[in-house]
């Protein structure tokens, strides 16, 4: 009974009971639900697929992992088939599926042959939502390559990280931190990548915090006897010891302070589409405020002042290291007035050039946010805004598109009475921080249509972060000491560990009952 086969069967029985409990939570409430899925490659290079279900249970938005399975074929057809296989034991009503949330990869998001298009054949009313956390990360990744100045800045940060990870250099870097700041805990530099959502922010803020130690270490190794190390240190110091680099360091630290709130907020499993809209719009308004130069104490002036303080502290006088031969004006525009740079990038020589760089970064950020967060094909965002007090209008024209799509009927009398009821509560001082409080004030037996619409809006999944968290759980389980673990065992352990709250409430007798139902034969060795 202690053999690996029996252990695996017990884990399978526990995972089966866990899924039965999740199934009862969904079906007992006849709840709308949304499907979340993402793929992952583990340390053994196996492709794994995580599937989650989002629904409302006891007045709380809930996201549960219902499947973590191996997949060999990464085509859209194979992924769709595997998702359907995972969901099939739950016996969910296809007409109650309101949406999918995947990443923006073509295999998942394609309108014709993508996973979401194939799944719509089974779930005709489901709406595909590109994971909003992934969208915001794409915005930041695009802005980090918005110009040669900016892309060179992030490349320099990564080169600095690589330089400081050498064994002797890393030890000296930690020692230098202790010498300069004995009371502060030693920190590590972070590499900036496009796939880790917080890495760019961490990379910038770590260098800004440790700038004094970084410059001292580069200065020491700039006089090193090793020619290769000396050249690398001198090259990095040459790039960093400029006003342009310090300005970009302070600028992106400020911008990432704003986006970090949205990045963390968009990863919440209880986030509704209304909260998502509020977060993104707040970020946009913050960037518009940063772009405003009309006020005497504008944000650019504050960033420039902090840049000047840092350059004076570290005795940095050079503006930029950018050089380049001036390019001749093409003959076809030789008689025209050229209002912008042509050819090679222009070096930063004064505060006006820094201001132009500041405006360019913010304009690109705002343009990317507007481009990637404008989809409202089914009018769901407008309907959600119309239902949210105190500014909600409850205008039927705004509620009609999603109602028509999901087959929800709201009578004029029902909508009118409910709107008046909410207005009376607002007048009486009752607040509605989110749509969930509005739903709590909307009994299903009295306002069935409005109740259904609110549940649909709240159930729509805005991110696929829950699936990402399953991968983090897998990483904690599938360590180097467990590298030979089989796929089935890994998947069952991951599912039970991720849903620890439900796992702790499983009845051992029920697990053994399921275990005993499986036919088995004794093996003699």
């Amino acid at each position: 009974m202690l053999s690996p086969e029996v252990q695996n069967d017990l884990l399978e029985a526990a995972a089966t009971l866990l899924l039965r409990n999740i199934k009862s939570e969904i079906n007992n409430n006849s709840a709308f639900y949304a499907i979340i899925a993402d793929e992952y490659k583990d340390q053994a290079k196996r492709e794994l697929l995580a599937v989650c279900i989002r629904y409302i249970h006891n007045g709380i938005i809930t996201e549960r992992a219902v499947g973590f399975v191996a997949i060999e074929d990464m085509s859209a057809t194979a992924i769709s088939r595997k998702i359907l296989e995972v969901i099939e034991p739950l016996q969910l009503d296809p007409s109650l599926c309101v949406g999918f949330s995947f990443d923006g990869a073509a295999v998942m998001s394609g309108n014709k042959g993508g996973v979401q298009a194939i799944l719509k054949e089974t779930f005709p009313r489901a709406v595909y939502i590109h994971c909003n956390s992934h969208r915001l990360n794409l915005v930041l990744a695009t802005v980090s390559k918005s110009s040669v100045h900016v892309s060179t800045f992030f490349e320099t940060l990564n080169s600095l990280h690589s330089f400081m990870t050498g064994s002797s250099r890393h030890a000296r870097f930690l020692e230098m931190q202790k010498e300069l700041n004995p009371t502060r805990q030693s920190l590590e530099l972070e590499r900036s990548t496009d796939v880790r959502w917080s890495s760019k922010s961490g990379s910038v803020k770590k260098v800004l915090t440790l700038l004094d130690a970084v410059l001292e270490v580069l200065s020491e190794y700039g006089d090193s006897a090793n020619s290769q190390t000396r050249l690398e240190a001198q090259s990095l110091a040459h790039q960093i010891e400029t006003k342009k680099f310090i300005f970009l360091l302070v600028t992106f630290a400020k911008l990432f302070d704003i986006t970090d709130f949205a990045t963390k907020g968009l990863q919440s499993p209880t986030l509704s589409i209304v909260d998502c809209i509020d977060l993104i719009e707040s970020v946009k308004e913050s960037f518009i405020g940063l772009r405003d130069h009309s006020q005497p104490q504008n944000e650019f002036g504050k960033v420039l002042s902090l840049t000047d303080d840092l350059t004076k502290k570290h005795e940095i006088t050079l503006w930029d290291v950018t050089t380049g031969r001036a390019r001749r004006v093409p003959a076809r525009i030789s008689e025209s007035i050229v209002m912008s740079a042509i050819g090679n990038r222009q070096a930063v020589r004064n505060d006006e050039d820094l201001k132009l760089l500041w405006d360019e970064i913010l304009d690109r950020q705002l343009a990317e946010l507007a481009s990637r967060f404008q989809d409202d094909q089914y009018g769901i965002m407008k309907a959600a805004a119309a239902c949210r007090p105190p500014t909600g209008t409850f205008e039927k024209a705004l509620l009609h598109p999603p109602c028509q799509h999901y087959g929800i009927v709201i009578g004029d009398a029902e909508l009118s009475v409910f709107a008046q009821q909410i207005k009376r509560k607002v007048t009486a001082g009752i607040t509605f921080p989110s749509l969930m409080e509005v739903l709590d004030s909307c009994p299903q037996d009295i306002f069935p249509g409005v109740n259904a619409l609110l549940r649909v809006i709240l159930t729509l999944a805005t991110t696929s972060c829950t699936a990402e968290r399953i991968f983090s759980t897998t990483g904690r389980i599938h360590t180097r000491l467990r590298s030979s673990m089989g796929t089935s065992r890994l998947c069952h352990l991951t599912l039970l560990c991720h849903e620890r709250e439900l796992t702790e409430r499983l009845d051992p007798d029920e697990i053994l009952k399921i275990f005993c139902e499986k036919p088995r034969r004794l093996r003699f060795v």
Side-chain angles (χ1 to χ4, degrees):
M1 295 298 290
L2 296 178
S3 68
E5 290 80 3
V6 172
Q7 292 179 22
N8 290 339
D9 287 346
L10 284 170
L11 289 173
E12 182 181 357
T16 301
L17 181 59
L18 177 71
L19 292 178
R20 287 181 183 177
N21 292 344
I22 294 175
K23 173 185 173 182
S24 64
E25 279 188 1
I26 303 174
N27 291 331
N28 287 348
N29 298 318
S30 297
F32 292 106
Y33 63 93
I35 300 172
I36 303 170
D38 203 354
E39 65 276 357
Y40 165 75
K41 183 179 288 187
D42 69 355
Q43 293 180 350
K45 308 304 179 186
R46 292 174 293 195
E47 293 288 351
L48 301 170
L49 179 71
V51 182
C52 305
I53 297 293
R54 176 184 170 104
Y55 55 97
I56 298 175
H57 176 61
N58 292 336
I60 300 174
I61 298 175
T62 306
E63 291 184 358
R64 299 289 191 196
V66 296
F68 190 57
V69 294
I71 182 169
E72 297 179 357
D73 185 359
M74 293 303 294
S75 66
T77 303
I79 294 175
S80 303
R81 187 185 306 116
K82 188 65 70 171
I83 291 175
L84 292 175
E85 288 177 6
V86 169
I87 295 177
E88 185 179 5
L90 300 177
Q91 297 178 338
L92 301 176
D93 185 351
S95 65
L96 295 179
C97 180
V98 298
F100 317 120
S101 182
F102 310 137
D103 60 27
V107 70
M108 304 297 285
S109 63
N111 290 327
K112 294 186 177 179
V115 172
Q116 62 99 3
I118 297 174
L119 289 180
K120 281 184 178 179
E121 297 175 2
T122 305
F123 310 100
R125 289 179 173 169
V127 175
Y128 165 65
I129 296 179
H130 181 185
C131 172
N132 285 282
S133 294
H134 188 243
R135 287 191 192 187
L136 183 58
N137 183 62
L138 291 176
V139 170
L140 301 180
T142 303
V143 172
S144 68
K145 302 172 184 140
S146 58
S147 69
V148 181
H149 292 295
V150 175
S151 59
T152 302
F153 166 75
F154 281 99
E155 289 166 5
T156 303
L157 293 181
N158 283 340
S159 298
L160 181 62
H161 173 269
S162 300
F163 180 83
M164 292 299 179
T165 52
S167 56
S168 61
R169 297 191 291 265
H170 180 258
R172 182 57 188 145
F173 180 53
L174 296 179
E175 290 175 6
M176 184 62 69
Q177 292 185 52
K178 288 296 184 183
E179 292 175 12
L180 296 176
N181 298 282
T183 59
R184 187 177 66 193
Q185 183 181 1
S186 297
L187 302 174
E188 300 284 355
L189 295 182
E190 191 170 341
R191 186 172 184 81
S192 170
T193 65
D194 289 345
V195 294
R196 290 211 328 270
W197 295 346
S198 61
S199 65
K200 294 187 184 298
S201 175
S203 176
V204 169
K205 291 178 181 178
K206 292 288 182 61
V207 173
L208 183 60
T209 303
L210 304 173
L211 185 59
D212 51 354
V214 167
L215 293 176
E216 289 295 331
V217 171
L218 291 178
S219 177
E220 283 188 9
Y221 282 98
D223 299 326
S224 172
N226 186 307
S227 60
Q228 182 64 32
T229 302
R230 182 173 66 251
L231 287 174
E232 289 180 15
Q234 290 176 353
S235 175
L236 282 170
H238 190 56
Q239 289 285 340
I240 292 173
E241 293 177 343
T242 64
K243 289 187 177 181
K244 184 188 77 173
F245 182 89
I246 302 300
F247 173 79
L248 288 174
L249 198 63
V250 176
T251 295
F252 278 103
K254 187 168 190 65
L255 297 183
F256 288 143
D257 272 341
I258 296 172
T259 56
D260 279 352
F261 286 103
T263 299
K264 294 175 183 177
L266 290 174
Q267 296 176 30
S268 171
T270 60
L271 191 75
S272 70
I273 193 168
V274 183
D275 301 324
C276 175
I277 296 169
D278 288 344
L279 269 175
I280 298 303
E281 290 302 319
S282 299
V283 171
K284 289 181 182 178
E285 291 172 4
S286 298
F287 285 146
I288 292 173
L290 296 179
R291 182 67 169 79
D292 184 13
H293 299 297
S294 60
Q295 300 298 325
Q297 296 295 325
N298 56 65
E299 295 299 328
F300 170 75
K302 295 177 182 178
V303 169
L304 190 60
S305 176
L306 183 55
T307 301
D308 290 339
D309 292 342
L310 287 172
T311 53
K312 289 177 183 178
K313 176 183 177 181
H314 299 290
E315 299 179 351
I316 296 173
T317 57
L318 188 64
W319 280 93
D320 195 359
V321 295
T322 300
T323 58
R325 181 177 60 86
R327 185 178 175 184
R328 294 179 61 185
V329 178
R332 67 179 183 277
I333 59 172
S334 59
E335 297 181 359
S336 305
I337 298 176
V338 180
M339 302 296 294
S340 62
I342 60 173
N344 295 336
R345 58 177 169 163
Q346 299 297 310
V348 173
R349 298 300 180 203
N350 50 48
D351 291 346
E352 277 301 315
D353 291 340
L354 293 179
K355 184 177 179 181
L356 291 174
L357 188 56
W358 168 271
D359 290 344
E360 180 184 358
I361 293 170
L362 287 173
D363 289 343
R364 187 60 182 271
Q365 193 99 334
L366 287 167
E368 286 295 318
L369 285 170
S371 173
R372 295 189 183 275
F373 290 95
Q374 65 178 358
D375 302 50
D376 193 14
Q377 181 180 356
Y378 300 96
I380 295 170
M381 297 180 186
K382 293 179 181 178
C387 292
R388 184 170 181 178
T391 57
T393 61
F394 294 97
E395 186 178 342
K396 190 170 184 178
L398 298 176
L399 305 183
H400 178 69
C403 288
Q404 184 180 28
H405 179 76
Y406 290 107
I408 299 172
V409 178
I410 302 178
D412 294 339
E414 177 186 348
L415 183 60
S416 176
V417 172
F418 179 73
Q420 289 300 324
Q421 176 178 296
I422 294 297
K423 290 178 182 178
R424 287 173 61 87
K425 291 185 177 183
V426 171
T427 305
I430 299 176
T431 59
F432 295 88
S434 69
L435 272 187
M436 184 57 72
E437 284 73 21
V438 181
L439 178 61
D440 293 339
S441 300
C442 182
Q444 186 173 6
D445 55 342
I446 302 175
F447 306 105
V450 178
N451 181 277
L453 177 61
L454 291 173
R455 285 190 291 122
V456 165
I457 294 174
L458 288 168
T459 304
L460 282 169
T462 59
T463 72
S464 58
C465 292
T466 299
E468 297 279 352
R469 293 188 184 95
I470 297 177
F471 305 149
S472 299
T473 304
T474 304
R476 294 193 296 270
I477 294 174
H478 196 212
T479 62
R480 179 177 59 84
L481 298 178
R482 302 189 185 113
S483 57
S484 62
M485 184 184 298
T487 303
S488 177
R489 185 186 185 94
L490 174 63
C491 293
H492 291 144
L493 275 174
T494 299
L495 199 62
L496 292 167
C497 183
H498 185 268
E499 296 298 338
R500 182 174 301 177
E501 176 192 354
L502 293 180
T503 302
E504 291 175 350
R505 301 204 302 260
L506 294 180
D507 185 354
D509 292 335
E510 290 294 325
I511 295 176
L512 289 175
K513 182 178 179 181
I514 297 173
F515 171 79
C516 294
E517 290 175 355
K518 184 176 181 179
R520 66 190 71 254
R521 296 179 64 184
L522 294 177
R523 294 193 310 167
F524 297 95
V525 180

